Amino acid sequence: WRARNLERAERAVSDARHYLDQGEYRKGLERTDEALALRPDSLEARVIRARLLIGQNHFQRAADEAQALLEQDPNDWTAHLILAVAASKGLLSGIPADEHLKAVEVHAPATAEAHYSDSEAVELLDRALELEPAHAPALYERMSRRAALKNFPAAMEDAERLALVRPRSAQGHRAVAWIHWKQYDFEQALAAVERAITLDPDAPLNYLMRARVHCRADPRPAAESMPGETASFQGGPEYEQCLADLTHAIELDPKIATYYYHRSRAYNAAGRRGEAITDARRAIELHPDHRLVYLPLFLAYRSLGQEEALREALEQLRSAAEGWADRKARAWAHRAVADTYRQLGEDERALDEASRAIDLDPDDPWNYAIRVRIRRHVGDAEGFEADCDAIAALDLREPEVLDERGDRLGWDCHRWETALADFEAQVERYPNWYIVHSSRGVANVFLGRLEEALADFTRTIELAPKYARAYGNRAVVYARLNRFEEALADHEKAVELNPYDAHLRSNLASSKKDFGRVEEALADVDKAIELDPLWALAHVIRGDALAILGDCDGAMDELSRELAPKDSQNQGNLAGIHIGTLYYFCPDRCDPAAALDWASRALESTPEEANAVSNYGAALYRNRRYSEAREHLMKAVRISGQPSPWQSFFLAMCSWRLGQKNEARSYFENGATFMDEHNLANPSLIRLRQEAAELLGIED
């Protein structure tokens, strides 16, 4: 009887190993359960079971299996490997992944499995695949790493090879879908994940992948990095299918926190805050050390104005983080708490938490960036500059972190020249990484280098033709180069590719106003606000449209919102609306002095950006400071290379009032000719033209 059981157990282990190699994880788990029922002391069965659990994203359960193995043999390198992978993939904050990787290096033999352990190094994964070309975990890890480095053609080769190595497994096709999704190619991603579901209709990971496609989930890592990311999941006609897929994943495996976390994010994006809270709480209950599961809870409570519940949730995260061995993870927790307190207006508490994050992890640009935002808000100029200096001084070598340092230097510190140097280094190092071309394009826009920005965004589109925001970015540059028809075409293409992005909808609305399509613009911006109620720019654009349509009360409700004037872009936009639209359509609501103050703050943040300089010049004109106004308007023209119609008409009026009448008429003719040639019919621009014509005594 014992001999028969031993034989049956060995056969079950052999079958489980085969299913592991083939990626058929559920069948493998069934066989390891049978083996362990027959031989509870089978170490091999436990190792295979732990690896099968990792394959199903059951990271905590895999870690529990590995810990049991280490109790029997502290030098078991496979158990250390499992813990290292589980901690890094599953965000298990209480496990020191680096220590377990070092144990693997000490105790592991020279095999593919051992080289696969250091999944951060592509070279070691290459070596693992030389030793064993069909080693599926190494293929999967190399694919993931190549995708992280934005080498998508090479990553796709590994994904397709994985599908060949494991022909009966859904994993390869799911990996192909993932690579398409990372490049914003949602159609191809959907086709690939449908094949995965056909192969394995009971695998919850397949439905999670399809849900990401249906929800248009943002594939950028930053989409999950901080609280308040409302644009990371976006709705649409497939949104109910997205929620249905996430619900089915939960039905198939109701004890995995990740599925509740993603459904909570989806509920948040759909505005269903109560259901978002329920799912987030369930995710935390299942996995309190998975740091991301707290974020949708913060967003839901903040959106509902439930501050007391939000503070309790913040303290829950802080308490959980106290037990985390990983200092970076603990720093992340304090950073998330700091940013949420910042949004609540509790600057002192936010500053304490941000400082704690920096103490724990002084090499992460994000930790300083949160404190930079707080210090800028409270007017601590010295502290602001010191933290920006600290970000600039970080000695960062990892490619994505270097890119992040550039983003923080640009967006948070307004040091676009320094940020540009980081992006230049990235483009040189990774010429086919579409994100760094896009980042360099943004820096060039803020530095007034519009032709260079245009080339960057065009290259971004060549590398990732389904990346909707690349078209939106290029459209902004086209508009600033006075190529309005091309700008509108790119805005329309961006919304066609992703009709559920509030930012893209807002920009399309703004572009339509240039051609007098104000009713259409209002419909688009209403849709943008429906998609993202907290998107400040959408409310500013809506206020502008309402003013043009004669609803001055509605316009002021939108323009005076708490969230509208917070950043420099919105301050510049508000200034432009006051000195333009409100001046003509709601004159009793126009505030030239406030407009000058907003324009001044925007200019302070981006002193070489053409729109900021132009807005400041126009605000000076409305405050009757004609000589200074002309000086700044001419500077804006020098930056952009040619005058926009707005600049032309303001320059015409400045010149006239300063006695330079021939120059004034020339500017006027330039603006009028451009408007006529490009069929521009923005009602505010039309009224500006009329004002200039009346001042100059021109029959127009």
Side-chain angles (χ1 to χ4, degrees):
W1 179 80
R2 282 196 299 271
R4 278 199 308 272
N5 281 353
L6 179 61
E7 183 182 350
R8 288 167 58 197
E10 289 175 350
R11 190 182 308 119
V13 169
S14 177
D15 289 347
R17 190 186 305 109
H18 168 75
Y19 287 133
L20 172 64
D21 291 340
Q22 295 301 313
E24 298 184 62
Y25 301 125
R26 284 181 301 101
K27 290 181 181 179
L29 283 170
E30 290 172 6
R31 295 299 278 153
T32 57
D33 287 345
E34 292 173 23
L36 289 167
L38 294 164
R39 286 197 61 192
D41 60 342
S42 173
L43 297 182
E44 186 177 9
R46 289 201 176 278
V47 169
I48 292 172
R49 177 178 171 77
R51 291 181 58 191
L52 288 162
L53 288 167
I54 283 178
Q56 287 196 309
N57 283 14
H58 292 186
F59 300 110
Q60 186 61 59
R61 288 164 62 188
D64 292 342
E65 295 278 352
Q67 292 284 12
L69 290 168
L70 287 180
E71 287 175 9
Q72 298 181 62
D73 181 4
N75 296 328
D76 186 337
W77 71 268
T78 55
H80 285 292
L81 169 61
I82 289 161
L83 282 165
V85 173
S88 60
K89 298 286 183 188
L91 298 172
L92 307 184
S93 305
I95 299 174
D98 290 344
E99 292 180 19
H100 290 292
L101 279 177
K102 288 175 184 174
V104 174
E105 292 171 7
V106 171
H107 300 292
T111 63
E113 188 75 2
H115 284 84
Y116 147 70
S117 68
D118 191 352
S119 59
E120 293 300 304
V122 173
E123 296 80 5
L124 291 180
L125 291 167
D126 291 340
R127 177 60 181 150
L129 289 165
E130 286 175 14
L131 291 165
E132 189 180 331
H135 190 271
L139 270 175
Y140 188 84
E141 289 304 324
R142 189 172 70 176
M143 175 209 69
S144 302
R145 187 60 182 158
R146 284 172 162 177
L149 296 173
K150 305 302 184 274
N151 187 351
F152 292 117
M156 185 61 80
E157 286 178 13
D158 282 342
E160 290 173 343
R161 185 173 163 192
L162 184 62
L164 291 173
V165 166
R166 290 180 164 175
R168 294 193 300 274
S169 171
Q171 187 186 44
H173 296 290
R174 190 167 62 243
V176 170
W178 185 72
I179 296 299
H180 282 304
W181 170 67
K182 292 292 284 185
Q183 298 177 90
Y184 295 84
D185 192 343
F186 297 118
E187 290 179 10
Q188 293 286 346
L190 185 60
V193 77
E194 294 285 6
R195 289 194 290 274
I197 289 172
T198 300
L199 281 167
D200 192 351
D202 295 323
L205 286 176
N206 291 338
Y207 297 96
L208 174 60
M209 185 68 249
R210 191 168 71 175
R212 284 173 166 152
V213 176
H214 282 311
C215 276
R216 294 295 198 270
D218 193 332
R220 296 171 302 169
E224 294 185 345
S225 67
M226 291 303 300
E229 276 282 355
T230 57
S232 55
F233 266 45
Q234 293 148 15
E238 306 92 357
Y239 214 74
E240 288 304 319
Q241 180 62 55
C242 164
L243 287 167
D245 278 338
L246 292 168
T247 299
H248 191 47
I250 289 169
E251 290 167 350
L252 289 167
D253 200 340
K255 292 188 177 180
I256 298 299
T258 300
Y259 304 145
Y260 293 95
Y261 158 68
H262 282 292
R263 193 171 69 174
S264 180
R265 292 175 64 205
Y267 278 138
N268 261 329
R272 294 162 64 172
R273 308 296 181 188
E275 290 155 297
I277 290 169
T278 300
D279 271 357
R281 284 194 168 283
R282 178 59 176 152
I284 293 169
E285 178 186 336
L286 287 167
H287 195 344
D289 292 335
H290 187 328
R291 60 181 184 267
L292 292 181
V293 298
Y294 293 85
L295 299 189
L297 188 65
F298 296 167
L299 176 59
Y301 282 142
R302 190 164 63 85
S303 300
L304 291 171
Q306 296 182 11
E307 291 191 7
E308 184 176 346
L310 175 55
R311 288 189 177 86
E312 289 177 5
L314 291 169
E315 288 307 308
Q316 187 177 1
L317 173 57
R318 290 180 79 258
S319 176
E322 288 300 316
W324 296 351
D326 187 336
R327 290 175 65 88
K328 286 183 177 293
R330 286 163 59 200
W332 181 96
H334 286 286
R335 184 175 81 208
V337 171
D339 199 42
T340 307
Y341 276 126
R342 179 185 69 85
Q343 293 167 19
L344 289 171
E346 297 187 24
D347 295 318
E348 189 172 335
R349 292 199 66 176
L351 195 61
D352 288 342
E353 294 292 334
S355 298
R356 179 67 177 137
I358 292 169
D359 290 341
L360 286 164
D361 185 7
D363 296 324
D364 190 331
W366 260 113
N367 294 334
Y368 294 95
I370 298 302
R371 198 163 70 178
V372 161
R373 296 175 187 181
I374 300 163
R375 285 178 161 167
R376 183 177 61 216
H377 181 255
V378 300
D380 179 4
E382 185 177 344
F384 173 90
E385 293 299 335
D387 277 342
C388 288
D389 288 342
I391 295 173
L394 292 176
D395 184 16
L396 303 177
R397 307 193 187 283
E398 282 299 312
E400 288 195 37
V401 180
L402 181 62
D403 188 44
E404 191 171 272
R405 181 177 70 181
D407 279 340
R408 303 285 59 84
L409 285 170
W411 292 109
D412 293 306
C413 295
H414 311 302
R415 297 184 181 184
W416 287 104
E417 285 282 2
T418 312
L420 182 62
D422 274 350
F423 300 139
E424 293 279 12
Q426 291 292 69
V427 170
E428 183 177 347
R429 187 175 182 184
Y430 301 104
N432 295 319
W433 184 356
Y434 67 96
I435 288 294
V436 293
H437 287 277
S438 179
S439 297
R440 187 173 69 175
V442 170
N444 278 323
V445 167
F446 278 99
L447 292 170
R449 300 167 54 176
L450 297 181
E451 292 294 345
E452 292 89 340
L454 184 62
D456 277 326
F457 293 135
T458 298
R459 181 60 178 152
T460 304
I461 290 168
E462 289 170 357
L463 292 168
K466 299 295 181 72
Y467 182 27
R469 287 204 177 182
Y471 293 90
N473 288 336
R474 190 171 69 175
V476 170
V477 178
Y478 276 140
R480 294 187 183 185
L481 290 170
N482 297 332
R483 296 163 63 174
F484 293 99
E485 294 92 340
E486 291 162 290
L488 180 59
D490 264 3
H491 281 308
E492 289 175 333
K493 178 66 175 177
V495 171
E496 175 192 326
L497 285 169
N498 190 353
Y500 316 116
D501 186 316
H503 301 202
L504 299 179
R505 282 273 183 186
S506 297
N507 290 337
L508 175 60
S510 186
S511 187
K512 283 182 175 177
K513 281 193 300 171
D514 288 331
F515 293 90
R517 295 157 60 180
V518 182
E519 293 281 1
E520 291 178 56
L522 185 60
D524 276 318
V525 81
D526 282 345
K527 179 63 176 176
I529 291 171
E530 179 186 330
L531 290 166
D532 185 355
L534 300 179
W535 179 230
L537 179 59
H539 291 281
V540 174
I541 293 171
R542 188 172 193 271
D544 191 40
L546 288 173
I548 291 170
L549 295 171
D551 183 359
C552 294
D553 289 337
M556 294 312 297
D557 285 344
E558 297 294 334
L559 297 173
S560 358
R561 281 173 172 262
E562 166 96 17
L563 42 88
K566 280 187 176 176
D567 64 47
S568 61
Q569 182 185 12
N570 281 331
Q571 288 169 343
N573 288 330
L574 280 170
I577 290 168
H578 271 264
I579 58 185
T581 302
L582 294 182
Y583 183 84
Y584 299 116
F585 297 96
C586 304
D588 59 324
R589 310 296 181 88
C590 177
D591 190 340
L596 184 60
D597 182 50
W598 287 324
S600 174
R601 289 189 220 165
L603 184 64
E604 199 174 289
S605 297
T606 52
E608 297 301 319
E609 204 268 314
N611 266 24
V613 179
S614 183
N615 267 334
Y616 186 64
L620 285 167
Y621 178 85
R622 290 293 180 220
N623 283 272
R624 302 182 181 182
R625 293 162 60 176
Y626 305 123
S627 180
E628 295 170 83
R630 182 174 177 275
E631 178 186 339
H632 281 85
L633 288 162
M634 291 181 72
K635 179 182 177 181
V637 172
R638 286 195 300 274
I639 292 172
S640 57
Q642 58 180 320
S644 70
W646 299 90
Q647 292 162 350
S648 291
F649 294 132
F650 272 112
L651 276 168
M653 293 192 295
C654 284
S655 298
W656 184 270
R657 292 186 182 280
L658 293 170
Q660 299 168 354
K661 298 190 174 181
N662 289 335
E663 183 181 271
R665 292 191 181 95
S666 176
Y667 277 126
F668 180 89
E669 289 302 325
N670 286 339
T673 301
F674 189 94
M675 274 186 72
D676 296 341
E677 286 179 352
H678 293 273
N679 301 310
L680 295 181
N682 184 310
S684 300
L685 181 60
I686 290 171
R687 294 291 290 272
L688 175 62
R689 175 175 175 170
Q690 292 170 351
E691 180 188 2
E694 290 171 9
L695 178 65
L696 274 60
I698 293 175
E699 289 288 336
D700 184 34

